[in-house]
Every structure is written in C-alpha cells, then in structure tokens.
Amino acid sequence: MPFSIENTRQFLVRPGFRLADVKPASTPDVSSEAELAKDVAQHDKEISDLQENLWANARTGVEGTGAVLLVLQGMDTSGKGGLIKRLARVMHPMGLSFHAFGKPTAEEASHDFLWRVRPKLPDPGEIAVFDRSHYEDVLVQKVEGHADEAEIERRYGAIVDFENGIAASGTRIIKVMLHISREFQYANLVERLTDKKKMWKFDRADLVVRSKWGEYMAAYQIALERTSTRTAPWYVIPGDNKEYARMVVKHLLVEQLRELQQPWPRPVDDLETARKHLDAT
Amino acid sequence: MPFSIENTRQFLVRPGFRLADVKPASTPDVSSEAELAKDVAQHDKEISDLQENLWANARTGVEGTGAVLLVLQGMDTSGKGGLIKRLARVMHPMGLSFHAFGKPTAEEASHDFLWRVRPKLPDPGEIAVFDRSHYEDVLVQKVEGHADEAEIERRYGAIVDFENGIAASGTRIIKVMLHISREFQYANLVERLTDKKKMWKFDRADLVVRSKWGEYMAAYQIALERTSTRTAPWYVIPGDNKEYARMVVKHLLVEQLRELQQPWPRPVDDLETARKHLDAT
C-alpha cells in the first residue's frame, strides 16, 4: 500500500501524546528506499498545480481564497533548511515565502513575542513557511530561562488564541516538528566540522543547546501538548531519514491545498469577444 | 563549440545598438535543441553552489560580500515568470527574493518613481530578481503619457545615478530585456484564451499595450540606449525560444556569481577544539 494521508495521522499530537514514543530513525509504512523516492516525486506536480490554482484565485480577486502557514520546528540539523529547499523547487516563488526566526533583535525583544511574527503571516493565495517560529519563545526561552514560568504559561494560551485567529481568517495551519535523535545530530555536526562547504553552518552556540537535549525535549513535550488544536495541529515526524520526513510533509501540504482548491478563475466572460479584440490588435 | 560567456556579448547594448536588429526568433550559437537542453542544465549545480557560497559569506559576516540584482523587462508573455520559476528551482530560497512591480499604487505614485524600488534592493549575500522594475516608469509611463517628456528625460539620468550607487555598494547589476516578436505574443495570448489553467493571466489591458507595440519598441530603444552603462549593462536577448533565453540569462548570472565567489567561510578557527567540545556534549 502506498503511503497516504491516512498514514500521516499516526504523527498527529493528540491528548496523551508522548514525544519519547516517537522513534526518530523509524520510517513507518514505507518499505523500501525506492518506494520512498517514488512517493517524494509523486506529489510534486500536484503541489505545483494546486499552488498555482491558489495563487491564481487570489490574483484575480476571488473572494474567500485561503492561504497556508507551514511551521517547521526541530533541533539543529533536523533538516528544516533542506526541506525548504525542496519545497521551493516545486512551487512558484511568487506567492511563496520563507521566514527564518533567529535570536530576537533588540527591537523584537522589546515587543510581545508575537509582534515579529504577524507581518510574516501569509496573505490570501500565499504559502508561508516558518523556519522556527513563535514556538522558540516557549522552547529556547523556557530552557534558557529568558522568560519566567508565568510568562511561558501565558504564552501557550496566547499562541492558541493567535493561531485560532489565523485559522478563522482562512489560513490553514500545519505545524511540524522534525524529530531527530541525539546521535543523528552528532553525525550531522561532525559533518559540518569536516565538509568545508558546510563549516559555515557550525555555531558553538548549537553545542550549548545540544548539551541541554533533555530539557529541550521536555519543553517540546509541554509545548506540543498545550498547543496542538483542531485548527492548528502538531505533527511530530521521525527525522533521521530526511527523505522520509520530506515525503510526509508533502502529504500534509497536499491535503490542505486540495481543500483550498477552487475552479480556475475565468476573468474573461466572453471568450469570443476577447478573441476578436485580440485579433484586431 | 558550446555556448560561453563570450557569446553573451552579442546581446550587450552598446553605442549604436538598434533594437530592430535583434531577431526575436533567432538562437545564435546554439545548433540543436539537444545542445540547448544540455547547456540549460549544465549551470544549475554551479549556480546553486555559488549562491550558497555568497549567502554563507554574508551570514557569517564576511566583510565586502556582494549581491546581485537581476532586472527583467519584456512585453507581456515574454517569459519573465517562467524564467523566475526556473531560477527558483536552482537556488536556495533564503537569500533569494523576487519582486513584481505592477501598476503603482496610489501611495507609490505619490512618491518619486524610485521610492518603491529602494526597499527591494538586495542586501549583501542576496540575489534579488525584479519582474518589471523602475524601467516601467520610462516605458509605460512614456507611451501612455503619464509623465511629461521633461520628467521622462530626467528619469533616464536619475536611473543611471541610482544604479551607479547600487553598483558602488557592491551589488552586481544584470539587466535583461526578453525580446519577443509580436507574432509570438499573439500565439501566447491565444493560448491564454484557450487553456483553462492559463486564462486567469489574460488581462484586457494587455491588448491596449499590444496595440501600441511600435511605440513600446521606440520607448525601449531610447531607454536601452540611455541607461546601458558599464556598471549596469543591458542585454537584449531573443525571447521567442524561451529555453534559449533562459540559458543565456543563466550564463550572465554565473559570470557575476563567479566574480563574487570567496573562500568558504570558516567561523571555527580551531577544528580540533571544536570537535572536542562536540564530543563532550
């Protein structure tokens, strides 16, 4: 049986979810590398068409055209950047935006944590992909103690309200944690210290985060529990096999894009007259 | 002989250039479709690597990292959008931006014509692609009489000054006119009226522009003459064969990216110590 939308449901964060139960190196419901490669390619044409359909509707002013927000979280080297690269290859750059949220600037830090996120939300017809997001504010900020527990507690609720508002405006939200193992990260970091083309990505600060792996997993566990909702669900996807994780994310994307699909817009009512006008030029 | 950087020079707008001499349907120095396809693919890996090198240098704060601005102009259906799609497939989306300049909004129109362009210029390490540009202000605005002749005259000089400033700040500028024939545009517009997936792109306003083809060519001729400089040269590329035009643009891009190439940054001075720190986590 080929991998299907139904198969993605096993990664959905539901009540009782335990991060520790997800095996980063597993590739459920895919039996061979060949099958995986086939599936990765399979959706590309469909994603491309569906995205153009979405964009076309927005551009021609069709009322009620939706949007998609894809939030990517994961530890360093979990493959967020590589996934983004693959998504960019499939979709038209107009109507597609990528935003990386790093350490807040002084100005960003002086505002509420959602302040810097709002301007990056997708307009109708657009797909926005967040490389890290407002979730950093309940992950790194919690672990590093940059915000106190009461503030972190407030933020879980603020995030749910924020995302409900986004969903109510017609934007589909997909939240993905690319879940890698500590061993896989080690191998990736060794590669960064070895491959001269990758060395620039090595950052000593990443080692500090790595040394607090358990605390980060605990922070993820709570954040996932508290913010996985019907309108903005979390999916925790095994990440040690990057091709596998990309395939699953493409399935989630296709699902939302299919639901947003509308007839191709037809701004010209009378084709015959339009053709006559064209022929007359 | 494969197509080379040298072959692009025939499209350079030099003193005495006449737009009427460029044959839109020609494909100079390429003898077969197979050769063309091979060349189109050939540069993809190199562009990808060079762009990552540029981005890596900027991200790690290397002084003097450059940027690239690619300006695309051409009549409707000349293939600007398709070219952009191909470029996006090859490059990492971070550090790459696309900006379409349509009819100015009321706010944009209330400012000087360069006002809306400035915020879209690339930062160090970035590649920005303009789908139409400040040149619309000496093309459509001239033909439609939205600005008087004295103002148009002033703008040629203002553009040259503006682009000299951009170049002085370390940004390489490539300006390309995708030059299609009136007959090729006709076939493309018929396709838009026939293919339901393309119908949304049909705009009656395009027919008004088409009916003034000669005036537009005259406006292009003057703009090209007046603004092709050493630091920001124009290339007029035959556009009826879209694959050919894309191939030539990739050559121009590779040329600039090669000149911007720097060693891969190495933020970690002491690899051995870094490795020890990693192993200790």
Side-chain angles (χ1 to χ4, degrees):
Chain A
M1 288 284 287
F3 196 92
S4 74
I5 299 286
E6 278 314 305
N7 297 120
T8 65
R9 296 298 180 259
Q10 65 193 300
F11 305 124
L12 184 60
V13 176
R14 297 187 169 97
F17 167 86
R18 280 163 37 97
L19 182 55
D21 293 340
V22 182
K23 302 275 167 290
S26 65
T27 58
D29 303 320
V30 166
S31 51
S32 70
E33 287 294 317
E35 188 183 315
L36 180 56
K38 196 178 150 200
D39 198 300
V40 168
Q42 187 194 312
H43 284 315
D44 287 0
K45 178 80 179 92
E46 186 176 2
I47 291 177
S48 171
D49 272 2
L50 287 169
Q51 185 226 359
E52 182 145 343
N53 177 273
L54 184 67
W55 178 240
N57 276 285
R59 289 287 292 181
T60 52
V62 173
E63 287 276 325
T65 302
V68 176
L69 171 62
L70 172 61
V71 172
L72 299 179
Q73 286 287 156
M75 299 295 278
D76 294 310
T77 81
S78 60
K80 301 183 295 295
L83 172 57
I84 281 172
K85 218 164 165 172
R86 302 308 175 93
L87 294 176
R89 267 185 219 165
V90 179
M91 291 187 268
H92 198 288
M94 299 291 180
L96 179 65
S97 62
F98 298 93
H99 308 284
F101 293 94
K103 190 165 175 273
T105 62
E107 190 188 11
E108 287 170 353
S110 75
H111 289 86
D112 181 66
F113 76 107
L114 295 172
W115 180 80
R116 66 171 178 166
V117 179
R118 284 199 180 86
K120 310 298 187 192
L121 293 172
D123 287 325
E126 293 181 354
I127 298 176
V129 183
F130 285 2
D131 178 355
R132 304 185 187 274
S133 65
H134 43 294
Y135 283 95
E136 292 294 302
D137 298 277
V138 291
L139 296 168
V140 62
Q141 298 230 346
K142 178 179 165 70
V143 173
E144 299 300 333
H146 295 151
D148 63 32
E149 282 305 314
E151 168 64 8
I152 296 292
E153 197 57 38
R154 182 192 74 80
R155 287 180 185 176
Y156 298 129
I159 288 174
V160 169
D161 291 345
F162 175 61
E163 292 178 347
N164 279 338
I166 296 168
S169 76
T171 296
R172 306 297 181 111
I173 305 173
I174 307 167
K175 298 185 297 195
V176 166
M177 178 194 183
L178 298 172
H179 186 39
I180 58 169
S181 66
R182 211 166 174 279
E183 296 67 37
F184 184 64
Q185 188 190 58
Y186 177 79
N188 290 330
L189 290 174
V190 168
E191 199 182 351
R192 286 189 181 174
L193 283 175
T194 319
D195 182 342
K196 76 174 181 6
K197 290 187 182 181
K198 292 188 172 175
M199 212 169 287
W200 67 277
K201 295 181 183 175
F202 188 88
D203 184 345
R204 279 177 203 283
D206 296 347
L207 296 186
V208 178
V209 174
R210 175 174 169 78
S211 69
K212 299 178 180 175
W213 192 275
E215 291 167 72
Y216 272 92
M217 290 306 111
Y220 264 107
Q221 170 69 41
I222 302 174
L224 293 165
E225 274 174 26
R226 298 290 298 274
T227 61
S228 191
T229 62
R230 184 181 287 268
T231 47
W234 271 108
Y235 291 86
V236 176
I237 302 174
D240 284 9
N241 183 324
K242 289 183 179 183
E243 285 300 320
Y244 180 81
R246 289 166 189 160
M247 182 274 293
V248 177
V249 174
K250 283 186 182 177
H251 273 273
L252 294 172
L253 195 57
V254 163
E255 180 185 19
Q256 295 305 322
L257 287 172
R258 280 185 189 153
E259 291 184 21
L260 291 173
Q261 190 177 19
Q262 292 179 279
W264 285 95
R266 213 181 127 159
V268 187
D269 299 325
D270 179 355
L271 288 175
E272 223 166 292
T273 308
R275 178 65 184 262
K276 268 182 204 151
H277 286 155
L278 170 57
D279 288 347
T281 58
Chain B
M1 287 285 288
F3 195 94
S4 75
I5 299 286
E6 278 313 304
N7 297 118
T8 65
R9 297 299 180 258
Q10 65 193 299
F11 305 124
L12 183 60
V13 175
R14 297 188 169 95
F17 168 85
R18 280 162 37 97
L19 182 54
D21 293 340
V22 180
K23 303 275 167 290
S26 66
T27 58
D29 302 321
V30 167
S31 50
S32 71
E33 287 294 317
E35 187 182 316
L36 180 55
K38 196 178 149 197
D39 198 301
V40 168
Q42 187 194 313
H43 284 314
D44 287 0
K45 178 81 180 90
E46 185 174 3
I47 291 177
S48 172
D49 273 2
L50 287 170
Q51 185 227 358
E52 182 145 343
N53 176 272
L54 185 67
W55 178 241
N57 276 285
R59 289 287 292 182
T60 51
V62 173
E63 287 276 325
T65 301
V68 176
L69 170 62
L70 172 61
V71 172
L72 300 179
Q73 287 286 156
M75 299 296 277
D76 293 311
T77 81
S78 61
K80 301 183 294 293
L83 171 57
I84 281 172
K85 218 165 167 173
R86 302 308 176 94
L87 293 177
R89 266 185 220 165
V90 179
M91 291 187 268
H92 198 288
M94 300 289 180
L96 179 65
S97 63
F98 298 94
H99 308 284
F101 294 93
K103 191 165 173 272
T105 62
E107 191 188 12
E108 287 170 353
S110 75
H111 289 85
D112 181 66
F113 76 107
L114 295 171
W115 179 79
R116 66 172 179 165
V117 179
R118 284 199 180 85
K120 309 299 187 191
L121 294 172
D123 286 324
E126 292 180 355
I127 298 176
V129 182
F130 285 3
D131 179 355
R132 303 186 188 274
S133 64
H134 44 294
Y135 284 95
E136 291 294 301
D137 298 277
V138 291
L139 295 168
V140 61
Q141 298 230 345
K142 178 180 164 73
V143 173
E144 299 300 334
H146 294 152
D148 63 31
E149 283 304 313
E151 169 62 9
I152 296 293
E153 196 58 36
R154 181 191 74 81
R155 289 180 183 176
Y156 297 128
I159 288 174
V160 170
D161 292 344
F162 176 61
E163 292 178 348
N164 280 339
I166 296 168
S169 76
T171 296
R172 305 298 180 109
I173 305 172
I174 307 167
K175 299 185 296 195
V176 166
M177 177 194 185
L178 298 172
H179 185 39
I180 59 169
S181 66
R182 213 167 172 279
E183 296 68 37
F184 185 64
Q185 189 191 58
Y186 177 79
N188 290 330
L189 290 173
V190 168
E191 199 181 351
R192 285 189 181 174
L193 283 174
T194 319
D195 182 342
K196 77 175 181 4
K197 290 188 182 180
K198 291 188 172 176
M199 213 168 285
W200 67 278
K201 294 182 183 175
F202 189 88
D203 185 345
R204 279 176 204 283
D206 296 350
L207 296 187
V208 178
V209 173
R210 176 174 168 77
S211 69
K212 298 178 182 174
W213 193 274
E215 292 167 70
Y216 273 92
M217 291 306 112
Y220 264 107
Q221 170 70 39
I222 301 173
L224 293 165
E225 273 176 39
R226 297 290 297 274
T227 62
S228 190
T229 61
R230 184 181 288 267
T231 48
W234 271 108
Y235 291 85
V236 176
I237 302 174
D240 284 7
N241 182 324
K242 288 183 180 183
E243 286 298 321
Y244 181 80
R246 289 166 189 161
M247 181 275 292
V248 177
V249 173
K250 283 187 181 176
H251 274 273
L252 294 172
L253 195 56
V254 162
E255 179 185 20
Q256 295 306 321
L257 287 172
R258 278 184 189 156
E259 291 184 21
L260 291 173
Q261 190 176 18
Q262 292 178 279
W264 286 95
R266 213 181 126 159
V268 187
D269 298 326
D270 179 356
L271 289 175
E272 223 167 291
T273 308
R275 178 65 184 261
K276 269 183 204 152
H277 286 154
L278 169 58
D279 288 346
T281 59

